[in-house]
Amino acid sequence: KSLLLIFLGGGTGSVLRYLLTISIYRQEQRTFAVNILGCILIGVFYTLTSRIHINNDIRLMLTIGLCGGFTTFSTFSNESLQLLKSGLYPSFFTYIIGSVVLGILGVMLGIWMSE
């Protein structure tokens, strides 16, 4: 049952990511926006499912499935490497540091919004 719910959440997250990314022009802005939004969502989902004692299968569907399918670490890594290979060092460091710092702040924001 858990695997099916994670599968359904992952597929839904992937479709939602695609719909969001086609609305944003620049590739690195797409990945950045999706990953930060995913961090906010995982904070919200973990907090809400803990507070209202949601079934663990639903928590797995929302966090591992939906957020896992929605966020794009492999794309983030590839885009970072392309910036590095292109010699765009300020963009490379800004992208990596900004993504990590804002990702953590996004999870904190999601938790704060849900408390």
Side-chain angles (χ1 to χ4, degrees), residues 10-106:
T12 302
S14 296
V15 169
L16 290 173
R17 177 182 65 231
Y18 174 74
L19 292 174
L20 180 62
T21 60
I22 61 174
S23 68
I24 300 173
Y25 177 70
R26 292 186 54 191
Q27 178 65 35
E28 58 279 352
Q29 291 173 343
R30 293 175 189 169
T31 305
F32 186 79
V34 165
N35 286 342
I36 301 307
L37 180 57
C39 288
I40 294 169
L41 288 174
I42 204 165
V44 168
F45 292 151
Y46 265 110
T47 302
L48 290 180
T49 57
S50 294
R51 184 170 4 128
I52 57 178
H53 306 294
I54 295 289
N55 180 305
N56 193 50
D57 289 335
I58 301 300
R59 174 185 276 183
L60 293 174
M61 180 184 72
L62 294 173
T63 57
I64 294 173
L66 184 75
C67 290
F70 184 69
T71 57
T72 56
F73 187 76
S74 58
T75 303
F76 161 74
S77 299
N78 183 54
E79 289 171 356
S80 298
L81 181 60
Q82 296 309 314
L83 289 169
L84 188 60
K85 283 182 173 180
S86 299
L88 300 171
Y89 303 114
S91 296
F92 168 76
F93 288 113
T94 301
Y95 187 46
I96 288 179
I97 293 168
S99 293
V100 172
V101 170
L102 290 177
I104 292 168
L105 291 174

